[in-house]
């Protein structure tokens, strides 16, 4: 099915016309490695829909299922990273980053404790130090994501990091979940808790 889609002369338009659910199912069917050509033509809104479908356990965000999406996105180049990241809800961007880094604002003279042996990444603008959490793969992924964001849109990158540093996690998660629920409702999905009622 994926190969048939990609062989069409109008492949980009045909893929862009798919619903987020169709993209999601195709990618999981063929695997991320084989879906790379498909994702090249996927729109930011389709990526957002896939994040909506894969990234949540009930009403809490899980970063682990988003990692293959982010890795695939990074493989498509920094411009695509910037487009997709810019389309995500601001709250979701901050929440994802909050889950994978500790932010120190250098302009506020913040920094890790001297005995901190975590992996510390200075941002390209030198405004922040980011302590990368998780295993080596996650650290590499997040480092690449941040570098690509700065290449694509330094203002967007800084805004995301500032929000991740200052916004209360519970509020970010609640707002992100609300946005997600209304998008899924548009696709015909009922909210998990409404469905329980």
């Amino acid at each position: 099915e994926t190969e048939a889609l990609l062989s069409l002369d109008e492949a980009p338009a045909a893929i862009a016309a798919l619903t987020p659910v169709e993209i999601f199912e195709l990618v999981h069917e063929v695997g991320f490695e084989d879906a790379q050509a498909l994702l090249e033509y996927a729109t930011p809104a389709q990526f957002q829909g896939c994040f909506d479908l894969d990234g949540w356990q009930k009403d809490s965000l899980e970063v682990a299922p988003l990692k293959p999406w982010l890795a695939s996105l990074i493989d498509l180049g920094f411009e695509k990273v910037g487009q997709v990241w810019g389309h995500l809800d601001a709250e979701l961007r901050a929440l994802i980053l909050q889950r994978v880094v500790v932010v120190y604002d250098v302009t506020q003279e913040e920094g890790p404790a001297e005995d901190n042996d975590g992996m510390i990444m200075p941002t390209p603008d030198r405004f922040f130090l980011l302590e990368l959490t998780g295993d080596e793969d996650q650290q590499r992924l997040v480092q690449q994501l941040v570098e690509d964001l700065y290449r694509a849109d330094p203002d967007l990158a800084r805004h995301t990091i500032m929000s991740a540093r200052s916004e209360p996690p519970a509020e970010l998660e609640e707002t992100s979940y609300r946005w997600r629920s209304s998008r899924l409702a548009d696709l015909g999905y009922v909210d998990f808790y409404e469905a329980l009622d």
Side-chain angles (χ1 to χ4, degrees):
E1 196 175 345
T2 314
E3 280 171 25
L5 259 177
L6 291 167
S7 64
L8 295 172
D9 289 342
E10 307 83 36
I15 291 165
L18 297 172
T19 67
V21 179
E22 288 169 322
I23 289 273
F24 176 83
E25 287 172 349
L26 277 174
V27 170
H28 278 292
E29 204 175 292
V30 301
F32 281 92
E33 222 165 279
D34 293 331
Q36 207 56 15
L38 175 78
L39 289 173
E40 198 175 325
Y41 298 123
T43 65
Q46 288 168 331
F47 266 99
Q48 181 170 45
C50 292
F51 279 38
D52 285 342
L53 291 163
D54 241 353
W56 293 84
Q57 277 291 332
K58 299 181 182 165
D59 59 351
S60 61
L61 181 77
E62 301 280 331
V63 171
L66 295 181
K67 286 186 209 165
W69 293 102
L70 290 169
S72 295
L73 183 56
I74 286 166
D75 285 344
L76 296 172
F78 75 94
E79 284 151 338
K80 186 83 167 185
V81 171
Q83 289 164 3
V84 171
W85 196 256
H87 188 84
L88 299 176
D89 305 322
E91 294 83 3
L92 179 63
R93 296 192 294 250
L95 188 60
I96 291 172
L97 209 62
Q98 247 180 22
R99 295 288 165 86
V100 293
V101 300
V102 179
V103 180
Y104 302 101
D105 187 339
V106 177
T107 66
Q108 304 286 325
E109 298 186 359
E110 294 173 358
E114 281 182 25
D115 59 356
N116 183 327
D117 54 4
M119 181 168 169
I120 308 291
M121 169 195 180
T123 54
D125 57 12
R126 299 288 187 246
F127 287 3
F128 307 99
L129 291 173
L130 304 179
E131 182 180 336
L132 306 178
T133 62
D135 59 18
E136 272 180 42
D137 284 343
Q138 177 171 305
Q139 291 174 355
R140 267 200 304 273
L141 181 71
V142 174
Q143 185 170 3
Q144 190 63 57
L145 175 68
V146 171
E147 285 171 4
D148 281 357
L149 281 176
Y150 267 96
R151 282 178 73 191
D153 187 340
D155 288 336
L156 176 62
R158 274 191 287 273
H159 183 270
T160 302
I161 294 169
M162 288 293 288
S163 300
R165 176 183 166 275
S166 59
E167 302 285 335
E171 277 176 37
L172 287 176
E173 192 161 54
E174 196 180 314
T175 309
S176 297
Y177 182 71
R178 255 207 321 272
W179 289 123
R180 169 196 184 253
S181 298
S182 66
R183 275 193 300 273
L184 289 184
D186 291 344
L187 293 172
Y189 285 81
V190 285
D191 175 84
F192 174 79
Y193 291 108
E194 281 174 23
L196 283 184
D197 293 341

